[in-house]
Amino acid sequence: MTPVELSRSVLCAVRRAVDGGELAVAVPERAVVTVPGPGGCGDYATNIALQLARPAGQPALRVAEILRPHLAGVHGVADVVVTGPGFLNISLGAAAPVALVEEILRRGERYGYAHGPSADFVPLSCPREVRAVVVMDALARILRSQGAAVRTRCEAELPSEWADILGVRVDAQPARQHPVLPHYTVRPVPAPVDPLPLGRDAARWALLHPADHDRPRITDDHLVQRESNPLFRVRYAHARTRALSRNAADLGFHAEPESMGPADEPSDGSAVVHQYHLLASLADHPRVLAQSAADRAPDRLARHLVSVADAAAPLLPAVLPRGAEKPSATHRARLALAEAAGTVLAGGLSLLGIDAPDHL
């Protein structure tokens, strides 16, 4: 169960309590689900009872106790505990994160893709401007990943170097005398200078990472290998996951999706928080792809990949055994999670038309 799905489950629990006459409140549009705070427990926590206490005319603890059995009966929820002034702390079944990692590794770079073609046909067009063509190309890839049939065209023939260097292509030649179907015109803020000197990957990222209404920066900053460069962080995180798989093979073990026990985690719980953020980002990937397609916004996918890379970074150093430590079930589970993150990063970069090298 993803955080988004759990948020919906919380709202359904409120609705059931209202329908049963246990609460007299308007069901809110949103329920915030976060990592449990100090004194909390479980996988997630929500303050929905505190939010509803005043309109319900009841103490938050009482509201929480009313909601607890409605939420505890939800499929995938193992336990619900009330702590503090009325926080609902939710423990998911041990198989939930495992199932997510298994699904990602099973589907590979097609994780988040539609399971089959849809009835959607999306004709795209763009002016003869380099950023518009690159955005249209990435958007067509994302739409096709969601099952849509896509046909692209440009108002004029493309320079050959755009195809050679940027890897863009257009399905149809410019229309001259023949009418065309109603189409969606891709028209972002134009690139201020020629991006081709950056090369394919950096140029595409420079044009795709900003939102359509933002002016892209075409600078050498996209080529530097440092943390200030989001493209470097994404590709470096992917390359590290691949290196971990190679190193694990040298040590004689491989990835096995399993529940990671807390026994060997730092006492401050930092590893649990990092794991939560990474799992949440991975679980959100299908929604991001669907939303990027629906809103015609490849930049959403680019920013999501940065979030996945940043969430994975703190966990990667703990994947392999240290010193004389022998590989354990926890190491195998961490490796599976790292490989899942690398798979999502590689798949997302591929949809943006950007290479995901195994060595960087």
Side-chain angles (χ1 to χ4, degrees):
M1 182 180 295
T2 69
V4 174
E5 293 169 335
L6 185 56
S7 177
R8 295 194 192 106
S9 296
V10 172
L11 294 179
C12 287
V14 174
R15 189 172 293 109
R16 285 193 292 270
V18 170
D19 292 344
E22 298 170 273
L23 288 176
V25 295
V27 179
E29 295 183 357
R30 181 170 177 260
V32 176
V33 174
T34 63
V35 179
C41 59
D43 299 301
Y44 300 98
T46 177
N47 66 348
I48 190 70
L50 285 78
Q51 180 182 339
L52 297 177
R54 178 171 291 183
Q58 299 191 55
L61 277 173
R62 174 58 185 157
V63 175
E65 289 297 343
I66 291 172
L67 295 177
R68 190 181 69 81
H70 292 288
L71 194 52
V74 172
H75 176 71
V77 173
D79 193 22
V80 181
V81 177
V82 179
T83 61
F87 292 102
L88 287 161
N89 296 260
I90 304 161
S91 297
L92 301 181
V98 176
L100 172 63
V101 173
E102 286 177 338
E103 180 186 4
I104 295 171
L105 297 181
R106 175 177 57 82
R107 299 200 64 192
E109 293 185 16
R110 295 182 66 84
Y111 167 66
Y113 281 36
H115 289 278
S118 70
D120 295 333
F121 173 63
V122 186
L124 300 175
S125 71
C126 71
R128 186 182 180 276
E129 188 277 319
V130 64
R131 188 186 185 198
V133 173
V134 169
V135 171
M136 183 175 70
D137 180 78
L139 178 55
R141 295 166 186 252
I142 295 171
L143 284 164
R144 288 171 179 138
S145 80
Q146 300 307 295
V150 182
R151 189 166 180 80
T152 59
R153 72 180 185 92
C154 185
E155 294 175 356
E157 191 170 348
L158 303 185
S160 60
E161 59 266 28
W162 291 10
D164 296 340
I165 297 176
L166 299 176
V168 295
R169 69 181 184 87
V170 174
D171 297 324
Q173 293 298 319
R176 290 185 173 87
Q177 298 177 344
H178 301 288
V180 295
L181 292 171
H183 54 271
Y184 177 84
T185 302
V186 177
R187 201 181 296 274
V189 172
V193 296
D194 182 9
L196 269 63
L198 294 178
R200 174 173 175 169
D201 294 332
R204 289 185 70 105
W205 182 268
L207 299 173
L208 293 171
H209 183 251
D212 280 4
H213 57 267
D214 291 333
R215 182 183 176 91
R217 293 184 306 103
I218 312 299
T219 68
D220 290 344
D221 291 344
H222 298 291
L223 297 171
V224 299
Q225 297 195 16
R226 63 170 69 110
E227 289 188 1
S228 59
N229 178 2
L231 174 59
F232 170 72
R233 296 208 304 274
V234 171
R235 300 175 85 197
Y236 180 65
H238 169 265
R240 284 200 66 189
T241 65
R242 296 299 182 251
L244 289 171
S245 298
R246 295 192 298 270
N247 293 336
D250 291 341
L251 294 173
F253 75 99
H254 59 274
E256 292 183 14
E258 298 179 33
S259 179
M260 284 180 266
D264 57 349
E265 302 294 2
S267 58
D268 61 2
S270 59
V272 175
V273 174
H274 295 320
Q275 181 183 332
Y276 159 81
H277 285 305
L278 179 55
L279 286 167
S281 295
L282 298 179
D284 204 31
H285 186 64
R287 183 196 66 81
V288 171
L289 287 184
Q291 203 65 53
S292 297
D295 294 344
R296 313 292 192 256
D299 59 285
R300 292 195 177 189
L301 173 58
R303 291 195 297 273
H304 171 66
L305 296 181
V306 177
S307 298
V308 172
D310 290 346
L315 285 173
L316 299 183
V319 169
L320 299 179
R322 298 179 181 179
E325 188 180 12
K326 292 186 177 181
S328 66
T330 297
H331 293 114
R332 291 191 291 270
R334 287 173 179 164
L335 179 60
L337 180 56
E339 289 185 354
T343 298
V344 167
L345 293 172
L349 286 172
S350 176
L351 287 176
L352 297 178
I354 297 173
D355 184 40
D358 289 348
H359 301 268
L360 194 63

